[in-house]
Amino acid sequence: MGRRLLLVLQFILLLSGNPVYAGQDEVLKLSIEECVDMALRENKEIKSAKSVMEQASHSMKALKANYFPRVSLNVTDMWGSLNGSVPVNMAGPISQYLVNRINQLAPWVAADETGAWYLSTIEDRIQTLNPDIDYRVGNIISANLILEQPVYMGGRIQAAYQMGQLGSTMSRLGVEISENEIIYKTYETYALAIKAREMNVVAEKYDSLLVSVRGSVESAVAHGMASQADLMKVDSELGKSKLQINKAENGYRLACMGLCQIIGLPLTSELDLDTLEMVDVSDVVYASSDISYRSEYDLLQAKTELAEWNVKLEKADFLPQIGVSVGGGYLNGLQMMGNRIFDNNWHAMALVNVKVPIFHGMEGYHKVAAAQAAYEQSAYERDNFFEMMELEIQNAYNELSEASIEVGVYEKVFASAEESYRIARVRYDKGMETLTDLLTAQVEWQNAYASMIDARHSLVVKEIAWLKANGRLKK
């Protein structure tokens, strides 16, 4: 059953043209510009940084909402079985005062049991009434619409919003930094793949030369002009060349897989990469170097400003705060003495709240002092990183200049090694050179060729590193 289900799922995937499997065997021809564009669109690190930027943007908008009033509606429908009576206490001072005043202002005339008339007091009247107050909770409905508006919160709202804006800016700069890093990695990995491919070409050419030499040595051995030891020397070099070809092929395959990971392609994709153009170092002007072009420069500035606003945020907790509230409500319910006390009552309300911190055991002083120290630390770190970035630019420029010189040197070395090999081959064919000398010339040719390729692609990477250090990579 499980095998049949697996076959059905595979068939559905084939019919749906799943992009994971479609075109797996197709060779993709890509230039460095196309790889950079794909990396900026598909790389997971950049997508993650953009998600952080989106979070910061929403957080900033949420902080901005603190400037506006907050409106809330609260509705309560309650039923209670509680009921009973409350005895009237005439012994209290307030009750006695009211009774005395009533007796003075409005005495009553009453008759006793014998029919005689006398002046009655309010106490006598209360004794003839029910001395208890009956109540019943029953059903109570309450609804309130309230508008709250902060007037002054010690600067907390402004400080929090400014910090939110800086957080949004820092997340955007984080995206730019991630993009620069990915562009640099794309160039570096692309150049590494090209280098591995050309190293494979060198190894194959060297192998072809050895095969040609082996043919000559084999013929010489057949005619008694060379020994079997000479043939074994050539076979030994051929074995080494096969190993070098295998290493170069593995290096190219691994570099292509690394490039696929960066640009968002399946790791097993087959790539056909264009060549890279070398930079003319004479076009590089060191005087144009300016760290203010770098996103890291703006990020450090924003980080320091964030610490400065945090000082104001800490101060706000220990400053006066004022808020106002207005609203209206509806209340219905609660019976007393058989009558509903709140009978569909509508009411309005207004509230002003003032909070003035007086004493908190020096808590505010120490919190503000700690925030101020954090701000100073951030400023020192910013200045230190500025100096480090200037050193990075100088180092990148030096390495670029040295890489340009290396290209010129190794091109001359290769030309000399190529000519030396040509002469050695001619002399060997004429019997004027030993096999050892010829093989030595071949090794020198191969090493010079490999060094030239390495220097050329190193120059490309050093150029990108210099542009990245100057903040001009995307420009």
Side-chain angles (χ1 to χ4, degrees):
M1 179 64 183
R3 180 178 176 83
R4 291 177 59 188
L5 179 60
L6 180 61
L7 292 174
V8 171
L9 289 175
Q10 291 176 344
F11 180 70
I12 293 174
L13 287 174
L14 289 173
L15 291 180
S16 62
N18 193 326
V20 174
Y21 299 101
Q24 285 282 327
D25 297 331
E26 182 180 352
V27 178
L28 300 176
K29 185 174 180 61
L30 296 174
S31 64
I32 182 60
E33 292 80 10
E34 291 172 332
C35 287
V36 169
D37 290 340
M38 293 176 66
L40 293 178
R41 290 195 313 268
E42 304 297 336
N43 186 265
K44 296 178 180 62
E45 292 183 20
I46 295 179
K47 289 182 178 180
S48 175
K50 288 182 178 179
S51 296
V52 173
M53 182 176 68
E54 186 177 359
Q55 294 175 31
S57 176
H58 288 297
S59 298
M60 180 195 66
K61 293 175 182 178
L63 291 170
K64 188 177 182 180
N66 291 326
Y67 282 105
F68 303 104
R70 294 188 177 185
V71 181
S72 58
L73 175 64
N74 183 22
V75 179
T76 304
D77 187 355
M78 182 189 75
W79 183 87
S81 62
L82 184 64
N83 60 76
S85 61
V86 179
V88 177
N89 182 13
M90 301 301 296
I94 298 178
S95 299
Q96 286 297 318
Y97 172 78
L98 293 174
V99 167
N100 292 335
R101 292 294 295 167
I102 293 173
N103 287 334
Q104 293 173 5
L105 296 175
W108 281 276
V109 178
D112 58 13
E113 293 83 354
T114 63
W117 295 93
Y118 68 96
L119 291 177
S120 175
T121 63
I122 191 171
E123 291 94 331
D124 299 329
R125 300 292 295 175
I126 291 176
Q127 295 301 323
T128 63
L129 300 175
N130 184 5
D132 295 337
I133 299 176
D134 296 328
Y135 67 88
R136 187 170 68 87
V137 174
N139 189 38
I140 300 176
I141 300 176
S142 174
N144 294 285
L145 183 66
I146 301 175
L147 182 146
E148 300 173 289
Q149 174 64 56
V151 177
Y152 177 72
M153 305 302 290
R156 164 174 283 278
I157 294 178
Q158 181 187 11
Y161 179 63
Q162 292 294 333
M163 293 175 72
Q165 284 187 316
L166 288 170
S168 179
T169 301
M170 292 170 67
S171 63
R172 175 182 56 80
L173 293 170
V175 172
E176 293 181 2
I177 293 173
S178 296
E179 288 177 344
N180 287 332
E181 288 290 340
I182 292 303
I183 292 174
Y184 175 76
K185 287 182 180 179
T186 303
Y187 267 93
E188 184 180 37
T189 309
Y190 192 99
L192 180 63
I194 297 297
K195 172 184 171 182
R197 186 177 66 184
E198 295 189 3
M199 286 297 188
N200 186 39
V201 172
V202 173
E204 288 178 349
K205 287 185 177 181
Y206 181 63
D207 186 75
S208 298
L209 292 176
L210 288 174
V211 170
S212 175
V213 170
R214 190 184 189 286
S216 300
V217 173
E218 192 174 19
S219 176
V221 170
H223 291 82
M225 300 176 62
S227 64
Q228 193 69 26
D230 292 334
L231 187 60
M232 293 175 65
K233 287 181 181 179
V234 177
D235 288 339
S236 176
E237 292 298 324
L238 272 172
K240 294 178 182 178
S241 71
K242 299 297 183 184
L243 179 61
Q244 291 174 352
I245 291 174
N246 183 260
K247 287 183 177 180
E249 290 175 348
N250 291 337
Y252 177 70
R253 188 179 301 109
L254 186 61
C256 286
M257 292 178 70
L259 183 62
C260 288
Q261 193 278 329
I262 293 173
I263 65 179
L265 289 177
L267 299 183
T268 56
S269 300
E270 294 291 333
L271 303 181
D272 181 13
L273 306 179
D274 290 344
T275 58
L276 284 172
E277 295 182 2
M278 291 188 299
V279 64
D280 186 359
V281 180
S282 62
D283 295 336
V284 177
V285 181
Y286 178 72
S288 64
S289 303
D290 185 358
I291 61 173
S292 64
Y293 283 102
R294 293 185 59 166
S295 299
E296 290 89 341
Y297 177 88
D298 295 331
L299 182 64
L300 290 169
Q301 293 280 35
K303 183 180 178 182
T304 304
E305 190 176 351
L306 184 71
E308 185 177 9
W309 276 105
N310 188 52
V311 176
K312 299 178 181 179
L313 185 66
E314 292 293 345
K315 287 182 179 179
D317 286 337
F318 304 94
L319 294 175
Q321 299 178 4
I322 304 173
V324 296
S325 299
V326 295
Y330 167 82
L331 185 60
N332 183 44
L334 189 60
Q335 295 183 6
M336 187 171 293
M337 303 297 291
N339 297 316
R340 190 182 297 275
I341 296 179
F342 304 108
D343 190 8
N344 295 325
N345 287 349
W346 294 90
H347 59 276
M349 66 183 75
L351 173 69
V352 177
N353 183 40
V354 179
K355 176 185 176 183
V356 181
I358 296 177
F359 180 72
H360 291 276
M362 300 296 288
E363 177 188 7
Y365 171 79
H366 292 297
K367 281 190 173 182
V368 172
Q372 183 67 33
Y375 164 67
E376 294 175 358
Q377 177 190 2
S378 178
Y380 291 139
E381 290 179 351
R382 175 198 61 192
D383 296 339
N384 181 59
F385 276 114
F386 284 171
E387 293 175 354
M388 296 297 293
M389 284 192 287
E390 290 178 356
L391 290 174
E392 184 182 356
I393 292 175
Q394 179 66 61
N395 182 62
Y397 179 78
N398 292 344
E399 290 184 350
L400 178 60
S401 301
E402 293 168 2
S404 176
I405 295 173
E406 284 182 356
V407 169
V409 169
Y410 284 116
E411 284 179 346
K412 293 179 180 179
V413 170
F414 174 69
S416 176
E418 193 172 33
E419 180 63 17
S420 297
Y421 170 72
R422 187 189 66 81
I423 294 174
R425 183 58 190 267
V426 171
R427 292 173 61 85
Y428 176 78
D429 291 339
K430 293 182 177 180
M432 302 171 62
E433 194 89 25
T434 64
L435 177 62
T436 301
D437 294 334
L438 177 60
L439 293 177
T440 301
Q442 282 184 328
V443 171
E444 291 177 352
W445 171 87
Q446 182 195 26
N447 292 337
Y449 199 171
S451 297
M452 182 181 67
I453 291 173
D454 184 67
R456 286 177 174 177
H457 290 85
S458 176
L459 178 60
V460 174
V461 174
K462 298 302 182 184
E463 178 202 8
I464 301 304
W466 183 84
L467 291 173
K468 176 175 176 289
N470 278 273
R472 302 171 183 268
L473 191 56
K474 294 188 69 175
K475 298 176 178 61

